[in-house]
Amino acid sequence: GTGFRHVGYLAAFFGFYHLSGGGLGDNFWAVFFAGLSVMGLENYYLWSHSNEALKKEREILGNLRGGDH
């Protein structure tokens, strides 16, 4: 589920951090933007998943109301 996906994102980020030498120093901006990208992808996934769930709920409510909105 979502928990494993989150672990995957963090593993990718820390993997990149490890490959960058493990210290920020000269690689600060590369590590910063990699982390920002990882968090952005996770937030996009959550946003799209939530929108899809809301759409389904609205359809169900519309059907329960007899199709009138």
Side-chain angles (χ1 to χ4, degrees):
T2 305
F4 290 114
R5 191 178 310 262
H6 183 72
V7 170
Y9 289 144
L10 288 176
F13 171 74
F14 285 114
F16 180 80
Y17 179 76
H18 176 72
L19 291 175
S20 72
L24 290 176
D26 295 334
N27 298 317
F28 174 78
W29 290 111
V31 173
F32 176 79
F33 285 118
L36 192 62
S37 299
V38 167
M39 297 306 287
L41 287 172
E42 181 179 10
N43 285 324
Y44 174 75
Y45 169 77
L46 291 173
W47 174 78
S48 63
H49 180 71
S50 297
N51 277 343
E52 187 176 323
L54 285 172
K55 181 181 175 185
K56 288 179 183 178
E57 289 293 326
R58 288 184 182 127
E59 288 175 4
I60 291 170
L61 285 173
N63 290 336
L64 290 174
R65 292 180 181 167
D68 60 340
H69 297 283

